[in-house]
Amino acid sequence: MAAPRVTSGLQRVLLMLKNVHFKLGYRIVASRKQYSTVYDPNEKTFEKILIANRGEIACRIIKTCKKMGIKTVAVHSDVDSNAVHVKMADEAVCVGPAPTSKSYLNMDAIMEAIRKTRAEAVHPGYGFLSENKEFAKRLAAEGVTFIGPDTHAIQAMGDKIESKLIAKNAKVNTIPGFDGVVKDTDQAISIAREIGYPVMIKASAGGGGKGMRIAWNDEETREGFRFSSQEAASSFGDDRLLIEKFIDNPRHIEIQVLADKHGNALWLNERECSIQRRNQKVIEEAPSTFLDPNTRKQMGEQAVSLAKAVQYSSAGTVEFLVDSQRNFYFLEMNTRLQVEHPITECITGLDLVQEMIRIAKGYKLHQKQADIPIKGWAVESRVYAEDPYKSFGLPSIGRLSQYIEPLNLTNVRVDSGIKEGSDISIYYDPMISKLVTYGSTRAEALQRMVEALDSYVIRGVTHNISLLRDILIHPRFVKGDISTKFLPEVYPDGFKGHQLSDNGRRELLATAACLYVALQLRSRRFIGNQRVSTSHKEQNRWELSLKLDKDTHAVTVFSTGSLFTVELDGKRLNVTSEWNLASALLPVTIDGTQRTMQCLSRDASGNVSLQYLGTVFKIQVLNRKAADLNKHMPEKVPEDSGSILRSPMPGSVVAVSVKPGDMVSEGQEICVIEAMKMQNSMTAARTAKVKTVHCKAGDTVAEGDILIELGMD
Amino acid sequence: MAALATLRNASSLFGGYRFIYKNLVASRSHVWDSVQPNWNLQQRWYAVSHLSVQERIDKKREAARLGGGQARIDAQHKRGKLTARERVELLLDPDTFVEYDMFVEHRCSDFGMDSAQNKYPGDSVVTGQGRINGRLVYVFSQDFTVFGGSLSGAHAQKICKIMDQAVLVGAPVIGLNDSGGARIQEGVESLAGYADIFLRNVLVSGVVPQISLIMGPCAGGAVYSPALTDFTFMVKDTSYLFITGPDVVKSVTNEDVTQEELGGAKTHTAVSGVAHRAFENDVEALLNLREFFNFLPLSNKDPAPVMECHDPSDRLVPGLDTVVPFESTKAYDMLDIIHGIADERDFFEIMPNYAKNIVVGFARMNGRTVGIVGNQPKVASGCLDINSSVKGARFVRFCDAFNIPIITFVDVPGFLPGTAQEYGGIIRHGAKLLFAFAEATVPKITIITRKAYGGAYDVMSSKHLRGDVNYAWPSAEVAVMGAKGAVQIIFRGKENQAEAEAEYVETFANPFPAAVRGFVDDIIQPSSTRMRICRDLEVLVNKCQTNPWKKHANIPL
């Protein structure tokens, strides 16, 4: 699309100047530096790299390229033409319409873009074409460097069955299971019985939790087989499945490896990724609290020997399941840059993207195994546009009407590919960003993460900050007592938001009351001669009634300037703040404790939504008189949720299995919604006759759309 | 000296009276008549005479406060409605209500109306003045507990009195309507009362803001008072507005219709466009009215109010750079733009559920109230039709009447074609919006965000209609029509239509044709829109423009 903008020589000089700044400790950059891109101007590298990806990972790669003086080409779908990665890159090429199969997975268009822009190498990021051997082959055929491992390594490790065999041969611990492709449901059941329940059914070509189901009995095996093969087909275009023993209550710990084309391989320590929902990672940290140096070394060495066994080059990740006895089993190897690579960068100081580019160019690794440190502790939270109250996170979409990353804090890194005004669409992964914090100790890193989550402003889409923050302060997590079962164990009835302590409730109510008073005081402050009565002196005592959930609290606020004294539940609290009513953040000090709350909405009816400890609470604040009179107001009858099935997320209807007049029993599947390539079975809330069906297969539905109505009997 | 002596006398008199009053309080439990003889013994006659008046005052006040009595108050509560006085108390700042005419009684003597039990001090309306956030307002609140809030001559007279005074001092009038209609027992006197109010509604129109909040029934002739005021708000489920009720409708047209369907909040906010907004219940409605009141100047002699503002006027809004979609056929939400530029994202939308293809409402820019008008591409592509033209025109005229600057966001593909529109008189109604923008002399700032096609471009506060500052975003397209239609006319018969279209797009689908002629003052980065508007408003604050003298203009009604 766009022609190269600046002559390469001049741009190179400019970039070098920028890098000098960087090395000298240019103020802002230096304070946010989590890895060092050691730029050696004498080491010849690629002129131009095309990034065959989008979003945060494309931005992440472009950043390193810029530091290395490499020109960048972004590819994008038409809906992404204003995306951040497109703006960041030196050139951009549109490779097709929104659906990934027509754009980011469209190899023909991407190959064409490479030819047009004369990019010498391609960085695939993660997902999309990153582990596609066909793509790597086509690049090789045209003499374009694939920044990743060689085709045979991708092939060997991409196939779960083959990879397991290779691992076994390389003396890597593996999980008992069936080493072959499962043909059909019946075979799946017989294999499952043989291995013994529970079993894991997963896509042979899979990754990222897609096409993966756990079965505890024959019935679940049957259902799991069906869903997994459909998901596998739509996600990877390959519906082959395999089955293995499911290790109950394990930890998911992975080893980052880095190998060059000269037979050198390093392990860059582990990442603890046990906090997962539906087999997708939520919070990762490095190092793991669980590993002792010995286990770490064993795992690292096995990972390296596996890498060597497939002549691996580039960055890769060997995933292990670790049981409570610190026995570890090889799970799979990801032959790409991993989503959670930043935490490894934080504790090792390496720039993995730079290393990948160097390795692809054929350079040897600078480091020896002994040079790889564990410096401090790093935590990563995956901030998603999803509703954590529904199965720990169902995708949500929308426009980011306000978006402010907490970069005012030190030791915070945010990898994102969106900005205020960006759309989170149904076409792509709903990740908003990876929020990474680090510190010299784990406690420091966790504390900073909590602060960063509190100061992170995301409006316009539902997000999972409430869940992330609640996990971070959970005693089990703080202790490091976690497993992949953490979420269902800690929240057996699903996540319902932060549960307030008495003290927490007081802090929340006091802040809501003070915010109300600050607003009331401000609403009399007309500037200039606005004929405001001067005979009434400013009110300084406020009798209020606050409603939170079903409970009503009588609160008295005394205001003197910006200091408010609050009386509630027989306690007195002093609340101070600047009361900047336009700011998205509401920093308050309550009896000396600093809290960063956020006011999401407020209206004239006294309703205020405050984000406190990550969770949004709805409070109604009324003066005592209004509250008294409010008693006479009629209760509006809420909708009967048992009779109406609404779409829990935006997506498309895959199948509707009932028609009006059908009898359905409680829990029976009545339709299937696909969103973000996950199929979700929607079930009847009770036994009833179907009254109306509002959707049909192929329909696109928005969150909250009525799908099916049940009759009263 | 003489004055001082009088004062002294008066104060001693007052002291004596106070003493007596204490006794009175002590003997409160006694029935009035039985107490009187005792005082005759104890006090001089003139004091007793005072006492008797004072007692009567207290008694009347107490009766007035109770309206139609406790049973009717309870019934009112049971309906989910507040009493007239509770409403006033909630609407106004605490202890600021000054009541007028508490002692006024109706003057009807027919049908036994002159009997003592049919006299209620204050009759069926509470009137007076008070403060909302410190600013003066006149209020009347109809009392449903007294004869169903029906309008007597006295009732009307009370309302007229406060309206007259509101004009004298320049303060808004708020009416809280809850009335069964005319007082049938009074006949023509009641009708005369309505007319007196209507006349004042008309004369006051454009002098001070008039707001009606319908909080119960409002039927028959009574509906025309709210209809004449600037804003009509309703309470959901408990308020109704109609000329004739369901029974009459049934007997005349044989239609079966419920009160709610005929004249409920939903009907009037979404279908008829009679009401400007509806609220969940009485409490919410009154609290929202307080908030709304803060946007308005007190009279046409006051400037638009400026409030303390914490939102920086030079704040950039990065989200606006991407709000207009890449494809010019794709919709977006004009509210995203409005919320983005307004102080604290605060926008009080007027008629949010009616003629949704145009968005109107109040916001603040750097603290100052502005009226915002925007085409809504999300609904019917933001085209102008009969309803949206009328909705926009009325809003623009209100702003102009009360010195409120108008910010217009333009993304309009034109007027809606079709027989329904033509037969309905789109020409006449569309002209209203044109008229309103053209005659407005308040500061007018216009931003063309995308399409400004055809006559609709002219209408939407264009430079040609005396727009003070007109901006275009880079995505703006100002042209007579879209590419497809235009190409069929100018390149008729040309073989390669696609090429012709591309040529047209290249020439017209951008802001340059308007910019080179000075029809837009600048092409601005969308993210800087808020900053530019705030600056311009500061420049335009002293704008002074007058239209030629006339008795009044003749807007095409």
Side-chain angles (χ1 to χ4, degrees), chain A residues 181-340:
Chain A
V181 177
V182 186
K183 285 204 299 283
D184 54 27
T185 323
D186 291 337
Q187 197 198 358
I189 290 170
S190 73
I191 294 168
R193 286 183 182 161
E194 210 171 283
I195 302 171
Y197 285 108
V199 296
M200 165 95 80
I201 303 161
K202 56 185 185 181
S204 179
K210 280 170 183 152
M212 199 182 269
R213 285 282 194 294
I214 295 155
W216 294 79
N217 54 43
D218 292 357
E219 182 52 36
E220 287 179 13
T221 308
R222 189 170 290 122
E223 198 178 300
F225 187 85
R226 181 162 61 91
F227 274 120
S228 289
S229 61
Q230 280 171 14
E231 267 178 33
S234 78
S235 289
F236 316 110
D238 176 352
D239 64 356
R240 290 177 305 146
L241 297 180
L242 57 104
I243 295 183
E244 66 189 16
K245 171 88 181 162
F246 173 64
I247 298 191
D248 201 8
N249 232 22
R251 282 170 183 260
H252 177 122
I253 299 176
E254 61 192 25
I255 300 284
Q256 174 73 52
V257 294
L258 198 57
D260 64 19
K261 294 184 172 173
H262 307 277
N264 304 310
L266 300 171
W267 48 276
L268 307 183
N269 301 311
E270 79 280 12
R271 291 186 289 257
E272 163 74 79
C273 311
S274 296
I275 306 290
Q276 304 186 345
R277 52 116 175 82
R278 297 194 307 269
N279 292 311
Q280 281 183 300
K281 295 159 193 167
V282 181
I283 292 177
E284 300 104 339
E285 60 181 308
S288 165
T289 54
F290 191 59
L291 294 194
D292 49 51
N294 191 32
T295 317
R296 177 174 296 127
K297 188 154 178 277
Q298 279 182 40
M299 288 170 76
E301 281 168 358
Q302 287 196 10
V304 162
S305 83
L306 177 64
K308 284 184 173 164
V310 287
Q311 293 92 50
Y312 197 86
S313 68
S314 193
T317 298
V318 182
E319 296 188 345
F320 291 99
L321 285 183
V322 184
D323 71 12
S324 54
Q325 307 308 309
R326 292 196 178 81
N327 297 315
F328 56 90
Y329 306 96
F330 168 72
L331 201 58
E332 62 183 27
M333 179 166 187
N334 297 317
T335 57
R336 54 169 156 87
L337 187 63
Q338 201 90 337
V339 178
E340 57 274 22

Side-chain angles (χ1 to χ4, degrees), chain B residues 6-312:
Chain B
T6 317
L7 198 71
R8 225 183 258 145
N9 286 343
S11 70
S12 68
L13 203 101
F14 187 68
Y17 151 70
R18 238 186 10 209
F19 166 73
I20 298 158
Y21 184 71
K22 268 185 206 150
N23 288 347
L24 176 81
V25 172
S27 60
R28 254 271 149 88
S29 55
H30 298 272
V31 181
W32 166 248
D33 292 326
S34 64
V35 177
Q36 210 169 12
N38 289 339
W39 290 342
N40 272 332
L41 295 174
Q42 285 170 6
Q43 307 295 336
R44 294 214 308 271
W45 171 245
Y46 77 85
V48 174
S49 143
H50 269 270
L51 246 191
S52 142
V53 169
Q54 185 58 45
E55 182 64 18
R56 283 170 64 191
I57 290 169
D58 290 344
K59 232 182 103 171
K60 291 251 184 206
R61 282 199 195 283
E62 204 173 314
R65 280 195 199 96
L66 219 52
Q70 194 57 46
R72 293 210 179 98
I73 289 175
D74 293 343
Q76 179 85 346
H77 285 159
K78 211 164 223 152
R79 281 188 212 104
K81 289 158 59 174
L82 299 179
T83 66
R85 280 169 198 285
E86 287 167 345
R87 287 167 176 167
V88 171
E89 269 184 60
L90 208 50
L91 175 65
L92 302 179
D93 296 345
D95 308 320
T96 60
F97 181 51
V98 178
E99 186 168 348
Y100 295 171
D101 291 340
M102 224 179 179
F103 301 99
V104 165
E105 290 172 359
H106 72 78
R107 301 174 293 268
C108 178
S109 54
D110 297 317
F111 311 107
M113 286 291 281
D114 53 350
S115 74
Q117 83 255 21
N118 277 339
K119 293 274 190 180
Y120 294 87
D123 205 24
S124 50
V125 66
V126 177
T127 60
Q129 44 95 344
R131 303 267 165 179
I132 293 179
N133 289 313
R135 296 195 310 156
L136 184 62
V137 62
Y138 284 79
V139 186
F140 69 85
S141 177
Q142 295 178 318
D143 187 348
F144 195 77
T145 64
V146 177
F147 298 117
S150 62
L151 189 123
S152 64
H155 178 137
Q157 186 194 323
K158 283 180 73 173
I159 293 175
C160 291
K161 186 193 266 184
I162 60 145
M163 289 181 75
D164 291 342
Q165 203 177 74
V167 174
L168 280 178
V169 302
V173 179
I174 295 180
L176 308 178
N177 297 64
D178 188 0
S179 162
R183 181 85 50 91
I184 298 164
Q185 295 91 332
E186 291 201 5
V188 72
E189 182 155 3
S190 176
L191 299 183
Y194 276 125
D196 289 341
I197 297 171
F198 297 157
L199 174 68
R200 279 164 182 78
N201 283 139
V202 173
L203 296 180
V204 169
S205 181
V207 181
V208 297
Q210 301 180 79
I211 306 162
S212 303
L213 175 54
I214 317 300
M215 308 186 83
C218 182
V223 298
Y224 284 110
S225 175
L228 290 167
T229 60
D230 298 304
F231 295 100
T232 303
F233 299 119
M234 293 181 79
V235 179
K236 288 181 192 167
D237 304 328
T238 48
S239 72
Y240 308 98
L241 273 166
F242 36 66
I243 297 285
T244 46
D247 298 342
V248 180
V249 169
K250 173 82 183 160
S251 66
V252 176
T253 68
N254 205 27
E255 286 173 286
D256 277 312
V257 66
T258 63
Q259 275 200 72
E260 185 63 37
E261 285 165 1
L262 188 61
K266 203 168 174 190
T267 302
H268 286 312
T269 53
V271 182
S272 73
V274 166
H276 295 87
R277 220 165 132 166
F279 302 101
E280 282 307 319
N281 57 45
D282 280 16
V283 172
E284 280 196 14
L286 293 162
L287 293 176
N288 276 279
L289 196 47
R290 282 177 63 85
E291 176 125 325
F292 175 66
F293 188 79
N294 262 12
F295 282 103
L296 308 181
L298 295 184
S299 76
N300 61 359
K301 294 204 175 64
D302 293 287
V306 184
M307 299 212 62
E308 179 185 295
C309 170
H310 299 170
D311 204 353

Side-chain angles (χ1 to χ4, degrees), chain A residues 70-88:
Chain A
I70 301 168
K71 275 183 278 181
T72 50
V73 182
V75 293
H76 62 90
S77 65
D78 55 6
V79 294
D80 269 348
S81 42
N82 264 327
V84 179
H85 77 277
V86 174
K87 302 271 175 207
M88 275 177 78

Side-chain angles (χ1 to χ4, degrees), chain A residues 286-553:
Chain A
S288 165
T289 54
F290 191 59
L291 294 194
D292 49 51
N294 191 32
T295 317
R296 177 174 296 127
K297 188 154 178 277
Q298 279 182 40
M299 288 170 76
E301 281 168 358
Q302 287 196 10
V304 162
S305 83
L306 177 64
K308 284 184 173 164
V310 287
Q311 293 92 50
Y312 197 86
S313 68
S314 193
T317 298
V318 182
E319 296 188 345
F320 291 99
L321 285 183
V322 184
D323 71 12
S324 54
Q325 307 308 309
R326 292 196 178 81
N327 297 315
F328 56 90
Y329 306 96
F330 168 72
L331 201 58
E332 62 183 27
M333 179 166 187
N334 297 317
T335 57
R336 54 169 156 87
L337 187 63
Q338 201 90 337
V339 178
E340 57 274 22
H341 74 274
I343 51 177
T344 298
E345 295 185 330
C346 285
I347 61 162
T348 59
L350 291 174
D351 178 340
L352 289 177
V353 174
Q354 187 196 21
E355 296 303 332
M356 286 175 81
I357 295 171
R358 284 190 66 249
I359 292 165
K361 188 73 188 169
Y363 292 109
K364 282 186 182 171
L365 290 168
H366 285 306
Q367 302 83 358
K368 298 270 172 290
Q369 187 61 50
D371 302 336
I372 305 301
I374 299 185
K375 276 190 307 195
W377 212 283
V379 190
E380 174 182 281
S381 294
R382 295 198 191 181
V383 181
Y384 274 103
E386 56 182 28
D387 183 352
Y389 296 87
K390 296 175 187 160
S391 331
F392 300 115
L394 286 188
S396 105
I397 55 165
R399 187 171 183 273
L400 287 167
S401 54
Q402 264 186 300
Y403 181 75
I404 306 167
E405 293 174 350
L407 292 172
N408 54 324
L409 301 170
T410 54
N411 290 354
V412 172
R413 165 175 170 180
V414 185
D415 281 20
S416 66
I418 42 107
K419 57 175 193 254
E420 191 167 305
S422 293
D423 264 315
I424 308 281
S425 73
I426 57 166
Y427 300 112
Y428 311 114
D429 192 77
M431 189 158 78
I432 296 172
S433 79
K434 302 183 306 203
L435 178 61
V436 180
T437 62
Y438 58 98
S440 53
T441 62
R442 184 169 187 261
E444 232 178 85
L446 293 184
Q447 177 56 31
R448 183 48 46 96
M449 179 61 81
V450 163
E451 291 162 5
L453 287 171
D454 280 343
S455 306
Y456 203 154
V457 179
I458 304 169
R459 305 286 156 78
V461 294
T462 313
H463 55 75
N464 65 337
I465 281 182
S466 54
L467 175 64
L468 294 170
R469 198 191 184 287
D470 210 49
I471 295 169
L472 286 163
I473 57 165
H474 194 277
R476 270 188 61 185
F477 182 83
V478 173
K479 261 198 313 197
D481 172 20
I482 55 177
S483 75
T484 54
K485 290 284 175 52
F486 181 84
L487 289 179
E489 278 171 15
V490 168
Y491 308 104
D493 304 321
F495 180 63
K496 302 218 180 326
H498 176 77
Q499 302 302 306
L500 289 171
S501 65
D502 286 348
N503 188 45
R505 187 174 297 107
R506 275 195 293 273
E507 285 190 4
L508 173 65
L509 291 171
T511 306
C514 292
L515 180 64
Y516 173 88
V517 170
L519 281 162
Q520 290 294 314
L521 287 170
R522 203 262 303 254
S523 65
R524 296 180 61 108
R525 292 194 195 126
F526 292 89
I527 293 169
N529 175 24
Q530 292 295 335
R531 299 171 57 195
V532 179
S533 166
T534 48
S535 58
H536 284 77
K537 61 174 195 276
E538 196 169 86
Q539 193 176 344
N540 56 15
R541 183 194 161 94
W542 306 78
E543 299 284 345
L544 306 175
S545 172
L546 275 73
K547 201 170 163 197
L548 172 65
D549 300 325
K550 294 261 178 284
D551 303 323
T552 306
H553 305 259

